[in-house]
Amino acid sequence: MKRTTIRDIASETGMSITTVSLVLNNRPSKISEATKKKVVEAAKRLNYSPNKLAVGLITKKTQTLGLIVSDISNIFFSILAKGVEQACQREGWSVVLCNSWDLHERDMKLIEVLTGRGVDGIIYCMSSDSDQDKALESYALLQKNNMPFIEIDSDYAGTARHNVFFDNERGGYLAARHLIENGHRRIACITGPNGPDYVSGRIEGYRKALAEAGIPYEPDLLVEGDYTMESGIRAAEQLIGRDFTAVFAFNDMMAFGAFKTFRDRGIRVPDDISLVGYDDVPLCDLLEVSLTTVRQPIYEMGMTAAKNMIRYIETGSDEDTNVCFEPQLMERSSVKNLNAQPGN
Amino acid sequence: MKRTTIRDIASETGMSITTVSLVLNNRPSKISEATKKKVVEAAKRLNYSPNKLAVGLITKKTQTLGLIVSDISNIFFSILAKGVEQACQREGWSVVLCNSWDLHERDMKLIEVLTGRGVDGIIYCMSSDSDQDKALESYALLQKNNMPFIEIDSDYAGTARHNVFFDNERGGYLAARHLIENGHRRIACITGPNGPDYVSGRIEGYRKALAEAGIPYEPDLLVEGDYTMESGIRAAEQLIGRDFTAVFAFNDMMAFGAFKTFRDRGIRVPDDISLVGYDDVPLCDLLEVSLTTVRQPIYEMGMTAAKNMIRYIETGSDEDTNVCFEPQLMERSSVKNLNAQPGN
DNA sequence: CTGTTAGCGCATTCAC
DNA sequence: GTGAATGCGCTAACAG
């Protein structure tokens, strides 16, 4: 039950290996239509499909992308992965999935592993325990391995030539401004681990909106989460007792967690506390109060990242492909307009 | 910036390729500790890591598993994938991720692709548009390609030797019995697409519980969903107007959808309608009424599937590895006890 | 138009 | 203890 090789179909048709390879790869050559047809038919009959390992060994190309995410069971990453996989499948590429568990050392390990496996490029979602040094370290490794990569929504070095990101400052700004427009002045944040720039970007945007409205920035109103619902719950608990009328969570899951905490404590959303999330995952209208959030086109981003990566690898194109996706405020029901209610 | 090969380290140390290969692979041989050490050190110094493509070409083993799921953005599959990836990472294996979009023809295509890529085995979640014939077709292809596989939670042929599944009949039974014990007699079901046996298994269990209680089975109370929240919403809408006091949804997402429909229509859970889900995804306590559900250890299942697959491939072990995971009822707040309230 | 010749990077007999 | 030779399945010059 051996797989049929190019040699089998050569002997089957009486042609040489070269001829077979040429026609099967559609190479420009002057092979008669007749023999072409014969070869193709034999290939089909024998159910031939090339051994990608052998091909890869020669061409140094495997048509495979590595995907490093911190947690595939996080809906943000699973949607992203779906986009990446879809783009790859369309182009005949494959994706090998790696979970870093948000550990920088795993990032490093995985980069090595993927290099050893001969992937042609990596879609890299840096683990969020990375500080500047660690980030630089992983870039260095990538470069040392001569590995093309696209980083998702982050660019420490500020020099990446192939990136795909969201305008996080804009996103943070939109969320905060929306709250401010609705009369809120004391706005708490549930952030992510400090490190990656999408966190600082959003904080920037938030501060900018505050500044525009002449509202002082209070570090005390920021609590750090880790994007899990659990952490949203805990963050909200920490927040309780401090003086604020609204919460801006850096993803929807943490917003859900905060919502739950508030509900359990008899604090009503949005009557007592307004809430804004981030991402717009497909669960936002599930709660009794649908969640106002900042939408990011995650799936599209995944597709674009993979498409650009592939195009870059295949064409060796020299042009930069930095693409930025604009966030969009999705107004739903979790923000109360304080202006409409004199007295508070 | 070429990668260092085994040859580089051979010339570096003055040893032959064979020697290097022998020590780096820890092969039984009589090579002096001194040279061993020299080789290992050189390897480290030159940052050597073997080219997996070349190794795979010879050994016919790539230490890679293919994973076919219908939708990686579905939380069930993303948790499963995480388990699979984790087990693989531990053993130094990789996983290539494939999304079938629940299309049988994609399944077929992906099996071919994965075979061409030389994966050593496949973790296969059959697309749910597969009927008996299609299922058999994909088994046949897998066998023709001589590809070991473990199917997740399904076994059409009834002859698979390496499987991993949940006791779905038990799960369906637990859900229905719980409802019946709470005085419900007219229990609607939101099922999945008919085909895979986890659907028929759960229906069996449901019917068994009904039968035990002397309650007639009414096909009219079954509505088919597709595991998305959307479909749960629609299914509940279809159900409204029919005569039932409880709904058993075949996954939590559809239960959430049904919940939403009910809430939007002013129907209270559990006061007016009781609700039971399936899976116990990490969102079950998010709703204002936490969802009673049937827990499946998805992550563990993913790990086990991958572990068994790897073990089988590596040892060529002849023993069957059919492992069955027991579902468990998670009682929360979405079921009302009708017995406690005379008059209804 | 088609076949011969070399390897890709590595593991594996089998001599020395 | 160690090295030379062979080949995995395929592509890529380069000859015919």
Side-chain angles (χ1 to χ4, degrees):
Chain A
M1 204 57 143
K2 256 179 88 287
R3 292 193 64 204
T4 79
T5 77
I6 200 174
R7 215 193 306 283
D8 296 330
I9 111 133
S11 70
E12 175 83 6
T13 57
M15 299 292 124
S16 83
I17 293 187
T18 315
T19 311
V20 174
S21 172
L22 252 26
V23 348
L24 257 27
N25 290 327
N26 252 324
R27 275 308 157 80
S29 70
K30 296 152 224 160
I31 295 174
S32 68
E33 285 305 318
T35 58
K36 271 190 187 171
K37 199 175 153 198
K38 225 166 65 179
V39 168
V40 169
E41 275 171 358
K44 191 169 303 172
R45 182 153 30 83
L46 298 182
N47 199 266
Y48 170 78
S49 91
N51 180 326
K52 294 270 192 182
L53 290 182
V55 176
L57 192 54
I58 296 187
T59 61
K60 312 288 186 201
K61 294 272 165 266
T62 53
Q63 305 205 104
T64 303
L65 249 36
L67 171 64
I68 300 180
V69 300
S70 48
D71 177 6
I72 187 63
S73 74
N74 172 325
I75 185 146
F76 178 92
F77 292 117
S78 67
I79 292 177
L80 186 85
K82 188 174 176 179
V84 168
E85 201 277 342
Q86 168 69 353
C88 283
Q89 202 175 129
R90 254 190 214 163
E91 313 263 359
W93 285 51
S94 295
V95 12
V96 3
L97 174 70
C98 301
N99 219 65
S100 73
W101 296 77
D102 249 336
L103 265 24
H104 169 70
E105 70 184 73
R106 289 270 183 121
D107 277 1
M108 300 294 284
K109 178 75 187 304
L110 292 170
I111 290 169
E112 288 290 13
V113 168
L114 289 172
T115 303
R117 297 217 172 257
V119 302
D120 297 334
I122 292 181
I123 311 277
Y124 183 29
C125 305
M126 190 180 297
S127 72
S128 60
D129 78 332
S130 303
D131 54 22
Q132 178 93 16
D133 285 350
K134 291 178 177 169
L136 261 27
E137 197 188 0
S138 52
Y139 293 148
L141 182 56
L142 253 358
Q143 254 141 29
K144 200 190 73 182
N145 288 350
N146 211 358
M147 178 65 71
F149 69 102
I150 284 194
E151 201 179 348
I152 296 290
D153 208 18
S154 175
D155 174 17
Y156 266 100
T159 58
R161 302 200 30 224
H162 303 282
N163 261 7
V164 141
F165 50 90
F166 296 119
D167 187 342
N168 285 289
E169 183 174 330
R170 176 88 185 146
Y173 177 78
L174 285 176
R177 195 186 62 182
H178 178 65
L179 254 7
I180 292 168
E181 283 173 355
N182 279 276
H184 296 269
R185 297 182 60 84
R186 303 196 57 84
I187 303 169
C189 278
I190 303 178
T191 73
N194 214 333
D197 9 287
Y198 46 86
V199 173
S200 46
R202 289 178 203 173
I203 293 178
E204 277 318 305
Y206 160 84
R207 295 186 65 160
K208 185 173 150 209
L210 251 39
E212 275 183 16
I215 302 172
Y217 167 69
E218 293 189 37
D220 210 42
L221 251 25
L222 302 209
V223 180
E224 186 177 307
D226 63 8
Y227 302 114
T228 62
M229 194 169 94
E230 229 346 278
S231 79
I233 291 175
R234 285 194 308 269
E237 280 164 357
Q238 279 181 58
L239 243 18
I240 284 175
R242 302 189 194 170
D243 179 25
F244 63 98
T245 64
V247 172
F248 167 33
F250 279 22
N251 81 347
D252 292 332
M253 292 316 269
M254 295 194 295
F256 293 154
F259 186 94
K260 187 164 143 55
T261 294
F262 292 144
R263 185 176 52 211
D264 290 352
R265 306 293 186 99
I267 299 168
R268 291 158 307 161
V269 173
D271 297 316
D272 302 321
I273 295 288
S274 290
L275 188 57
V276 174
Y278 212 102
D279 283 351
D280 195 27
V281 298
L283 293 160
C284 284
D285 51 0
L286 178 59
L287 296 178
E288 55 264 44
V289 175
S290 63
L291 185 69
T292 291
T293 193
V294 177
R295 171 168 167 67
Q296 307 197 96
I298 307 170
Y299 179 77
E300 290 74 11
M301 182 167 200
M303 287 204 48
T304 301
K307 253 190 318 204
N308 285 357
M309 184 87 274
I310 291 174
R311 201 169 57 91
Y312 169 70
I313 293 167
E314 286 187 334
T315 67
S317 147
D318 224 28
E319 35 174 333
D320 294 12
T321 56
N322 268 297
V323 4
C324 179
F325 288 88
E326 284 306 314
Q328 185 188 351
L329 185 72
M330 306 299 287
E331 280 187 58
R332 288 196 268 254
S333 321
S334 61
V335 172
K336 179 185 181 187
N337 188 340
L338 260 29
N339 302 318
Q341 327 227 347
N344 182 24
Chain B
M1 203 61 144
K2 257 179 88 288
R3 294 192 64 206
T4 79
T5 75
I6 200 175
R7 214 189 310 281
D8 296 331
I9 112 135
S11 69
E12 175 83 6
T13 57
M15 299 292 123
S16 83
I17 293 187
T18 315
T19 311
V20 175
S21 172
L22 251 28
V23 349
L24 258 27
N25 290 327
N26 253 324
R27 275 309 153 84
S29 70
K30 297 152 224 158
I31 295 174
S32 68
E33 285 305 319
T35 59
K36 271 190 187 172
K37 198 174 155 201
K38 224 166 65 176
V39 168
V40 169
E41 275 172 359
K44 193 170 301 173
R45 183 153 30 83
L46 297 182
N47 199 264
Y48 170 78
S49 91
N51 180 327
K52 292 271 190 181
L53 290 182
V55 175
L57 192 54
I58 295 187
T59 61
K60 310 288 185 203
K61 294 270 165 268
T62 54
Q63 307 205 102
T64 303
L65 249 36
L67 172 64
I68 300 180
V69 300
S70 48
D71 177 8
I72 187 63
S73 74
N74 172 324
I75 183 143
F76 177 92
F77 292 116
S78 67
I79 292 176
L80 186 84
K82 188 174 177 178
V84 168
E85 202 276 342
Q86 168 69 352
C88 283
Q89 204 177 127
R90 255 189 215 164
E91 312 263 0
W93 286 50
S94 296
V95 11
V96 3
L97 173 70
C98 300
N99 218 66
S100 72
W101 297 77
D102 250 337
L103 265 25
H104 169 70
E105 69 184 75
R106 289 270 183 120
D107 277 1
M108 299 296 283
K109 178 74 187 304
L110 292 170
I111 290 169
E112 288 289 14
V113 168
L114 289 173
T115 303
R117 296 217 173 258
V119 302
D120 297 334
I122 293 180
I123 311 277
Y124 183 29
C125 305
M126 190 179 299
S127 72
S128 61
D129 78 331
S130 302
D131 54 21
Q132 176 94 17
D133 285 349
K134 291 178 177 169
L136 261 27
E137 198 186 0
S138 51
Y139 294 148
L141 182 57
L142 252 359
Q143 254 140 26
K144 200 190 72 183
N145 288 350
N146 212 355
M147 178 64 72
F149 68 102
I150 284 194
E151 202 179 348
I152 297 290
D153 208 16
S154 175
D155 175 16
Y156 266 101
T159 58
R161 304 204 21 230
H162 304 283
N163 262 6
V164 140
F165 50 89
F166 295 118
D167 188 341
N168 284 289
E169 184 175 328
R170 176 88 186 147
Y173 177 78
L174 285 177
R177 195 187 61 182
H178 178 65
L179 254 5
I180 292 168
E181 283 173 354
N182 279 277
H184 296 270
R185 296 184 59 85
R186 303 197 56 84
I187 302 169
C189 277
I190 303 179
T191 72
N194 214 330
D197 10 285
Y198 46 86
V199 174
S200 46
R202 290 179 202 174
I203 293 178
E204 278 318 305
Y206 160 84
R207 294 186 64 163
K208 184 172 152 212
L210 251 38
E212 275 182 17
I215 302 172
Y217 168 69
E218 292 191 37
D220 210 41
L221 250 27
L222 301 209
V223 180
E224 186 177 306
D226 63 9
Y227 300 114
T228 64
M229 193 168 95
E230 226 352 274
S231 80
I233 292 176
R234 284 194 308 271
E237 281 164 355
Q238 278 180 59
L239 242 20
I240 284 174
R242 302 188 195 170
D243 180 24
F244 63 98
T245 65
V247 172
F248 167 32
F250 278 23
N251 81 347
D252 292 333
M253 291 315 270
M254 295 194 295
F256 293 154
F259 187 95
K260 188 165 143 55
T261 295
F262 292 144
R263 184 175 55 211
D264 291 351
R265 306 293 186 99
I267 299 167
R268 290 160 305 164
V269 173
D271 298 315
D272 302 321
I273 295 289
S274 290
L275 188 58
V276 174
Y278 212 101
D279 283 350
D280 194 26
V281 298
L283 293 160
C284 284
D285 52 359
L286 178 59
L287 296 178
E288 56 263 46
V289 176
S290 63
L291 185 68
T292 290
T293 193
V294 177
R295 171 167 167 70
Q296 307 196 96
I298 306 171
Y299 179 78
E300 289 74 13
M301 180 168 202
M303 286 204 48
T304 301
K307 251 189 320 203
N308 284 356
M309 183 89 274
I310 290 174
R311 200 168 57 91
Y312 168 70
I313 293 168
E314 286 187 334
T315 65
S317 145
D318 225 29
E319 34 174 334
D320 295 11
T321 57
N322 270 296
V323 5
C324 179
F325 288 88
E326 284 307 312
Q328 183 187 355
L329 185 72
M330 306 299 287
E331 279 188 57
R332 287 195 269 254
S333 321
S334 61
V335 170
K336 179 184 182 186
N337 188 343
L338 261 30
N339 302 318
Q341 327 226 347
N344 181 29

